[in-house]
Amino acid sequence: MNLSNVQLHNSFQSKNVIKVITGIHNTNIYQIAQIAKAADLAKASYLDVIANTKVVKFLKSFSSLPLCISSIDPIDIYNCISAGADLVEIGNYDTFYNKGVYITSFELVELIKEVKYLVGDIDLCVTIPYYFDLNEQIRLAQLLECLGVNIVQTEGIFTHNIHSLPKQLSVLTNSLSSSLLSTYFISKSVNIPVITSSGISSIFASTAINCGASGIGIGSAIRGRHNIVSMTKYLNEVKHCMFTNRIDLYQVKDYISINNISEQILSL
């Protein structure tokens, strides 16, 4: 592992990374400021924000946390790095999925090459698409490592109506059936850090670490809170759960049984 940002390098080495996601389409400056302040107070690892130069400059004016911008547009990425962003994430393919478009490994690699040409040796994270089978995900992760990608991230199953599902079902569908499974196998196949995202909450934070993740991405669970105090409290809860309330796979099965959730959900 080799990250140019020393602050992030140390967090990834310790496997205690908490990435706070303000929302890849979120330009609500008031909410972004609240989330950023809570992340600072809770000593999260870094912020992940929309690729918008105004948002980048605003956050860099008061937040001490490293700032990651998420985009699939090379020009937006270049402009945000010029505005002061510290690292780049290629992922959040929701725009594609909404149009029924699924990027191929070849297209993703070409996009990464273009981004690296534009921004040089900036720290780079790439999300592995969930719809590749596990063998393809592993091969892609290994190729990304060879290309100089610093971090890979796993994602959960994309579901249009995920917010209309029961709470337990949405968590299990998004996280356990896809993102955690990918984390487990990819982390054993590469020497770069893996972040688990897509629906991860405090209850499954430690499970992600047990599956080989170096950290987690927290987004919707934070944005659903309406003030800095509750956001900070939740992030501190996540940090606590990552290391003191570890849940192994047997405990997860018990959780499913107690809540009468069919184990077939895990195969979705």
Side-chain angles (χ1 to χ4, degrees):
M1 182 190 72
N2 186 25
L3 291 167
S4 58
N5 187 294
V6 176
Q7 189 176 347
L8 280 180
H9 181 87
N10 293 337
S11 293
F12 275 104
Q13 283 256 332
S14 303
K15 291 195 170 185
N16 62 358
V17 171
I18 296 178
K19 176 180 74 169
V20 178
I21 306 165
T22 65
I24 61 165
H25 302 300
N26 186 6
T27 56
N28 183 333
I29 289 295
Y30 178 72
Q31 185 187 50
I32 291 172
Q34 282 191 314
I35 295 171
K37 185 61 177 177
D40 270 317
L41 290 171
K43 294 181 172 57
S45 305
Y46 67 106
L47 290 167
D48 186 0
V49 304
I50 185 174
N52 180 297
T53 55
K54 291 181 180 179
V55 172
V56 170
K57 290 176 181 178
F58 171 69
L59 288 173
K60 295 299 286 187
S61 71
F62 72 90
S63 176
S64 62
L65 294 178
L67 189 61
C68 174
I69 52 99
S70 291
S71 181
I72 51 175
D73 186 319
I75 302 303
D76 285 345
I77 290 172
Y78 175 82
N79 289 336
C80 287
I81 293 299
S82 299
D86 300 289
L87 64 156
V88 172
E89 180 181 321
I90 295 174
N92 300 300
Y93 308 118
D94 300 27
T95 303
F96 287 154
Y97 299 159
N98 282 323
K99 297 176 182 177
V101 175
Y102 296 87
I103 193 169
T104 66
S105 292
F106 175 79
E107 290 169 334
L108 185 55
V109 167
E110 291 302 302
L111 175 59
I112 291 163
K113 289 178 179 177
E114 183 177 359
V115 169
K116 288 181 71 67
Y117 175 78
L118 287 173
V119 300
D121 292 329
I122 197 81
D123 290 334
L124 178 61
C125 174
V126 176
T127 298
I128 306 292
Y130 78 88
Y131 49 85
F132 295 160
D133 66 40
L134 278 174
N135 284 330
E136 188 173 3
Q137 289 189 39
I138 291 168
R139 287 195 297 269
L140 177 58
Q142 291 170 333
L143 176 57
L144 297 180
E145 183 176 16
C146 292
L147 289 172
V149 170
N150 307 92
I151 309 160
V152 293
Q153 179 172 290
T154 60
E155 68 172 355
I157 295 171
F158 180 77
T159 308
H160 286 282
N161 297 315
I162 194 70
H163 296 298
S164 68
L165 295 172
K167 183 177 180 181
Q168 298 96 328
L169 177 57
S170 66
V171 169
L172 289 170
T173 301
N174 237 14
S175 298
L176 293 181
S177 64
S178 181
S179 196
L180 288 175
L181 184 64
S182 297
T183 296
Y184 179 81
F185 286 100
I186 290 173
S187 66
K188 291 181 175 296
S189 306
V190 296
N191 294 313
I192 54 177
V194 179
I195 288 184
T196 303
S197 193
S198 296
I200 292 294
S201 61
S202 58
I203 191 172
F204 292 122
S206 57
T207 310
I209 303 302
N210 284 337
C211 285
S214 295
I216 58 173
I218 296 287
S220 57
I222 287 294
R223 295 191 296 275
R225 285 159 173 77
H226 302 294
N227 59 68
I228 294 173
V229 173
S230 62
M231 291 176 182
T232 305
K233 182 178 179 181
Y234 184 77
L235 286 173
N236 284 328
E237 177 187 330
V238 171
K239 291 174 69 174
H240 177 77
C241 289
M242 281 177 74
F243 298 103
T244 60
N245 293 334
R246 301 212 171 215
I247 302 172
D248 60 29
L249 294 180
Y250 292 105
Q251 288 174 300
V252 171
K253 287 182 178 180
D254 289 341
Y255 175 82
I256 293 168
S257 177
I258 290 170
N259 288 279
N260 296 316
I261 301 172
S262 170
E263 293 190 30
Q264 292 180 350
I265 293 170
L266 298 178
S267 65
L268 290 176

